[in-house]
Amino acid sequence: MIIQIKGDTNFTINIDPGVWIFDERRFPIEPNSLGMALRPFLLNAEPKEDVHTALIHRRDGEKISLSYEEILDSYLCFAIDGKPLSEKQGGPALLYLRNQDHDQPIDSIQTIEMISS
């Protein structure tokens, strides 16, 4: 399962959270869960200077709008008990915002679309 970052960017980025288990940038977020900051991947896509919104496209067709600042400060939970998240668990990753209730992450993410004016 891949998450694509696209839209008003210089590059379209495909990220595979399933391989992050070996990435040194991962960090523990709860007992037996692992996370990864989303910021480096967003910046690697090189968003246009006037990007102000990130539109999250979920598998069920729902779209969730976040500010660019919110998504820059977010992170993805990609593994529980050392195993990648399955589709049944809301995988490939769960998106958590910095000041969000941890009981309600954004799940089933397919695409993060950057939107400018």
Side-chain angles (χ1 to χ4, degrees), residues 64-75:
I64 299 170
S65 181
L66 301 172
S67 74
Y68 181 60
E69 292 77 22
E70 284 178 304
I71 198 143
L72 278 178
D73 286 337
S74 68
Y75 65 91

Side-chain angles (χ1 to χ4, degrees), residues 43-63:
L43 296 179
N44 282 342
E46 294 184 10
K48 305 291 183 186
E49 285 187 29
D50 58 348
V51 163
H52 55 79
T53 301
L55 194 60
I56 310 298
H57 297 259
R58 297 179 67 230
R59 269 194 308 275
D60 64 4
E62 180 184 10
K63 296 175 185 172

Side-chain angles (χ1 to χ4, degrees), residues 3-53:
I3 298 173
Q4 188 174 68
I5 300 171
K6 67 177 190 175
D8 293 329
T9 61
N10 288 323
F11 303 102
T12 297
I13 303 288
N14 294 315
I15 54 177
D16 180 358
V19 299
W20 288 346
I21 200 84
F22 304 108
D23 196 305
E24 293 179 1
R25 297 172 293 177
R26 72 183 188 277
F27 56 87
I29 54 174
E30 293 178 11
N32 301 314
S33 296
L34 294 172
M36 180 75 74
L38 191 50
R39 178 183 292 265
F41 302 97
L42 296 169
L43 296 179
N44 282 342
E46 294 184 10
K48 305 291 183 186
E49 285 187 29
D50 58 348
V51 163
H52 55 79
T53 301

Side-chain angles (χ1 to χ4, degrees), residues 69-102:
E69 292 77 22
E70 284 178 304
I71 198 143
L72 278 178
D73 286 337
S74 68
Y75 65 91
L76 296 170
C77 172
F78 66 91
I80 295 177
D81 294 328
K83 297 178 184 170
L85 291 175
S86 69
E87 193 171 305
K88 288 181 183 179
Q89 293 172 302
L94 306 174
L95 178 76
Y96 289 95
L97 303 176
R98 176 185 273 204
N99 297 319
Q100 175 190 11
D101 179 0
H102 284 256

